[in-house]
Amino acid sequence: RSAPTLSIYRFKVEPDLLPGEYRYRLLLVTPSTRRERDFNGRLELVVNLTEGDQSAMMSFPEPADADAGAFRLAFKYFRRVEGTFRVNPKAKVESVQVRIYETGSTQPRATHSVSL
């Protein structure tokens, strides 16, 4: 097994000002053994929610926006990431998972989940 390519710290998701809007923040850190090269990749959020008695899953960026600039990552040692996402104001967000992919890889290099 190869060493992890990076670690996720302080992942937080909280409701923002507008109904249905949530703010997320996290800190990404590359291990010292990897510091000779930059990390390039992208971030994906997978949101589990319930609306009425229906469970649903949403991911951000949406597949059509896979190149969304806000979700692209390029850094050497560490990077703070924050942003917002929106769901239907009637929906209740149960949990959010962040997945970090390295460019060219279909398997996440790191994942972390929080429950709300």
Side-chain angles (χ1 to χ4, degrees), residues 5-6 30 34 37-41 73-75 100-102:
T5 38
L6 77 164
T30 57
R34 282 278 310 252
R37 65 189 191 87
D38 292 7
F39 180 88
N40 287 287
L73 301 169
F75 63 97
I100 308 297
Y101 294 89
E102 197 158 11

Side-chain angles (χ1 to χ4, degrees), residues 55-74:
S55 289
M57 208 160 96
M58 294 176 75
S59 61
F60 299 94
E62 289 165 37
D65 297 340
D67 268 353
F71 292 88
R72 272 205 297 269
L73 301 169

Side-chain angles (χ1 to χ4, degrees), residues 20-88:
E21 193 168 80
Y22 289 81
R23 174 165 294 282
Y24 63 89
R25 61 172 58 98
L26 58 131
L27 177 66
L28 298 172
V29 179
T30 57
S32 51
T33 54
R34 282 278 310 252
R35 299 234 159 127
E36 67 284 355
R37 65 189 191 87
D38 292 7
F39 180 88
N40 287 287
R42 64 187 174 85
L43 172 148
E44 180 183 76
L45 295 174
V46 179
V47 180
N48 288 292
L49 43 90
T50 52
E51 200 172 330
D53 54 3
Q54 299 287 306
S55 289
M57 208 160 96
M58 294 176 75
S59 61
F60 299 94
E62 289 165 37
D65 297 340
D67 268 353
F71 292 88
R72 272 205 297 269
L73 301 169
F75 63 97
K76 196 162 189 105
Y77 304 120
F78 61 90
R79 162 114 184 242
R80 269 180 226 290
V81 182
E82 62 177 275
T84 58
F85 63 88
R86 268 211 162 103
V87 300
N88 183 323

